[in-house]
Amino acid sequence: MPLTHEVFNQPPVLAGFDVAADPAMLDALRREGAGWAEDGIRELGRLAGSARAQEWGRQANEHPPVLRAHDRFGHRIDEVEFQPAWHELMTVAVRHGLHAAPWRDPRPGVHVARAAGFYVWGASDAGHCCPISMTYAIVPALRNAPELAERYEPLLAAREYDFGLRAPLSKRGLLAGMSMTEKQGGSDVRANTTRAVPAGDGSYLLTGHKWFTSAPMCDLFMVLAQAPGGLSCFLLPRVRPDGSRNSMHLQRLKDKLGNRSNASAEVEYDEAAAWLVGAEGRGVRTIIEMVNMTRLDCVLGTATGMRTGLTLAAHHAAHRMAFGRKLADQPLMANVLADLAIESEATTLAALRLAGATDRAARGDVQEAAFRRLALAATKYWACKRGPAHAAEALECLGGNGYVEESGMPRLYREAPLSSIWEGSGNVAALDALRALRRQPETAEAFFAELDLAAGADRRLDQAIARLRKEVSDPAEERARYLAEAMALALQGALLVRHGHPAVADAFAVSRLGDDAAGGHAYGTLPAGTDTAAIVSRATPEILP
Ligand SMILES: Cc1cc2nc3c(=O)[nH]c(=O)nc-3n(C[C@H](O)[C@H](O)[C@H](O)COP(=O)(O)OP(=O)(O)OC[C@H]3O[C@@H](n4cnc5c(N)ncnc54)[C@H](O)[C@@H]3O)c2cc1C
């Protein structure tokens, strides 16, 4: 072989690093009451940053699940086949209790620990986090049917990943999904046409279609259907208690932009057996308890995507030379990286503050529940809106390499818009924040009480909060996005001013808050004089020996 060229000026492979070496996340973990979980999170972080886990993520996405609708004799089996890599990812997530395990653990801070684990482990692959998130989320809704909760909650919380379609009570661990969206409407689920007819033995028979049902190999599904008393919520087992397959037929798997490791199915129910959860006619109120938990994971997942993109970009820039200097030392590239880092840290802080509120609300803290109600809707809107642009900019930091699949950046980029679509698309999330403001004044009180904790610490933040107070006094529907953005920015600013690194907090305030905010519309437009070196160093990964 003639030696045609020598490879130089390419960064080393980024494998063998600790994803949890993330100062903003670790500080928040301790502050929100889960410092006791740090060792476990660091262990998960090292696994997430290992070549092994990265390879699982790659394989699970490059070999997406396949629908096996029928067996070779023509019988319906409605199964989805996954690559071994998917099962490895799921096994780790369940073993670390990132699914429903916190609901059976009395330790204060357990939901924060779970959130930090979800954030760290999500760096390996986003798709499998979907069933993990839905299993976490189902428990509060399921508790509206105490008998069903008593029967299934211990198995939902078990740290055993037991794949395959068998009678739920015969398995060592269960996973759950949700089935709301129909062809004619996803946001407006009141338009659901799936019917639920009492079977006479206390159960119901569901007939109809669902247009999106992700992770269809789960064991249990929360399903909305029209019962005699109106739209109601049901728990539908994939396999009936007697071991026979329930009539839940998978018509197709969606050919999705991203999230390719995960299966999302079109489903038809043909007199499928299910049990009522909550009262008839109260389906939306019941299932919203599940949606409110998955919304937290949309924010966490977005924070993970941002941190992952930032890490890859900072690593590349720390090693790649151009025009005689490392990219990271070129002032304009340092500006881009610092701006991406500020966005990432602000999102991480907000996500873990919301996880702390979730933990305290679950223990009966009414003030924290009110804060969470409004802050989560606004943050879900804003963080998820920022995700795709963040991913695009992080990708560009790698130049052409970033556009190539092997870099991992295209996967992040394709994944990014999803969190803004499901569990309340952008407008719906913003309108939900508006609804909370109008109908639940205690949520605004709790929200501003949180902002007040940072009062006087930064002139620009004070100005942003004063503007916000005026805006919320008479909110118009067409201003809902503006309002949600302003609320989320004020919350991020307040958290950074109180708890963030001073350089990050200052750069955030000068570029995103204040009457004379100096940031432009693209990333990389921080004002001159920003301490970019201090900010970027927090994001540059260290490869472990
Ligand atoms: C990969 C993937 C997986 C999914 N998995 C599941 C699942 O497991 N289970 C499930 O039930 N669903 C699932 N969904 C469906 C998802 O939740 C819906 O797509 C989403 O809720 C939006 O509903 P829709 O698609 O019907 O859009 P629509 O409701 O038609 O909304 C279209 C647009 O109109 C906007 N809009 C709606 N109402 C208003 C309004 N009043 N004012 C202003 N704007 C408005 C929305 O924000 C959106 O931008 C999944 C979707 C995707 C992409």
Side-chain angles (χ1 to χ4, degrees), residues 178 180-181 185-187 212-214 256 418 421-422 425 427 431:
M178 71 166 106
M180 300 185 291
T181 307
S187 309
F212 279 93
T213 295
S214 288
K256 297 177 287 186
L418 182 53
I421 292 175
W422 60 20
S425 308
N427 287 351
L431 288 170

Side-chain angles (χ1 to χ4, degrees), residues 130 134 177-189 210-215 221-222 254 256-259 262-265 287 418 420-429 431 435 477 481:
C130 168
M134 292 192 291
M178 71 166 106
S179 203
M180 300 185 291
T181 307
E182 297 189 359
K183 295 186 185 79
Q184 70 281 1
S187 309
D188 186 4
V189 289
K210 294 288 169 182
W211 189 228
F212 279 93
T213 295
S214 288
F221 291 85
M222 210 55 116
K254 301 285 193 187
K256 297 177 287 186
L257 169 67
N259 200 253
N262 182 28
S264 298
I287 210 157
L418 182 53
S420 191
I421 292 175
W422 60 20
E423 312 308 342
S425 308
N427 287 351
V428 172
L431 288 170
R435 188 175 309 112
E477 186 166 326
R481 276 185 178 228

Side-chain angles (χ1 to χ4, degrees), residues 79 173 215 258 473:
E79 291 191 6
S473 62

Side-chain angles (χ1 to χ4, degrees), residues 152-418:
Y152 294 116
E153 202 178 300
L155 286 168
L156 288 164
R159 290 177 184 244
E160 297 252 17
Y161 174 60
D162 189 0
F163 181 77
L165 298 184
R166 300 193 301 283
L169 292 180
S170 72
K171 295 186 71 174
R172 288 174 283 122
L174 301 176
L175 293 167
M178 71 166 106
S179 203
M180 300 185 291
T181 307
E182 297 189 359
K183 295 186 185 79
Q184 70 281 1
S187 309
D188 186 4
V189 289
R190 293 167 308 176
N192 272 194
T193 59
T194 298
R195 280 173 295 111
V197 178
D201 60 357
S203 69
Y204 289 68
L205 296 175
L206 270 52
T207 303
H209 78 278
K210 294 288 169 182
W211 189 228
F212 279 93
T213 295
S214 288
M217 286 300 280
C218 286
D219 302 288
L220 300 167
F221 291 85
M222 210 55 116
V223 185
L224 280 182
Q226 302 286 354
L231 190 63
S232 309
C233 192
F234 295 89
L235 185 73
L236 185 145
R238 193 76 158 73
V239 176
R240 296 188 195 93
D242 65 6
S244 60
R245 295 272 166 103
N246 211 352
S247 341
M248 174 177 170
H249 302 310
L250 310 186
Q251 304 300 103
R252 283 196 295 179
L253 297 187
K254 301 285 193 187
D255 183 6
K256 297 177 287 186
L257 169 67
N259 200 253
R260 297 186 74 83
S261 61
N262 182 28
S264 298
E266 293 168 17
V267 169
E268 295 210 0
Y269 296 116
D270 180 11
E271 297 201 325
W275 305 287
L276 185 66
V277 178
E280 270 194 21
R282 292 178 67 85
V284 174
R285 285 202 180 196
T286 306
I287 210 157
I288 206 75
E289 294 190 46
M290 184 169 182
V291 172
N292 265 327
M293 300 310 295
T294 47
R295 279 183 183 170
L296 173 65
D297 289 355
C298 291
V299 178
L300 283 162
T302 299
T304 302
M306 286 182 177
R307 177 76 188 173
T308 309
L310 169 66
T311 305
L312 289 168
H315 173 73
H316 182 86
H319 295 276
R320 176 85 165 179
M321 303 279 291
F323 301 98
R325 274 202 278 191
K326 282 190 180 153
L327 281 177
D329 297 333
Q330 299 281 4
L332 189 51
M333 180 56 95
N335 195 325
V336 172
L337 292 170
D339 217 354
L340 292 174
I342 290 161
E343 194 71 31
S344 162
E345 290 206 19
T347 307
T348 299
L349 252 65
L352 287 179
R353 172 68 186 88
L354 288 164
T358 303
D359 196 77
R360 292 181 280 278
R363 277 160 231 292
D365 187 327
V366 180
Q367 172 88 359
E368 282 290 86
F371 164 75
R372 185 188 188 279
R373 168 72 186 88
L374 180 56
L376 178 57
T379 306
K380 155 81 167 80
Y381 165 73
W382 180 240
C384 299
K385 221 18 93 199
R386 297 289 277 176
H390 194 280
E393 199 64 65
L395 179 156
E396 193 175 318
C397 291
L398 273 65
N401 283 357
Y403 203 71
V404 173
E405 202 65 45
E406 288 166 320
S407 71
M409 287 296 199
R411 212 168 99 205
L412 281 181
Y413 181 67
R414 287 194 301 268
E415 190 69 29
L418 182 53

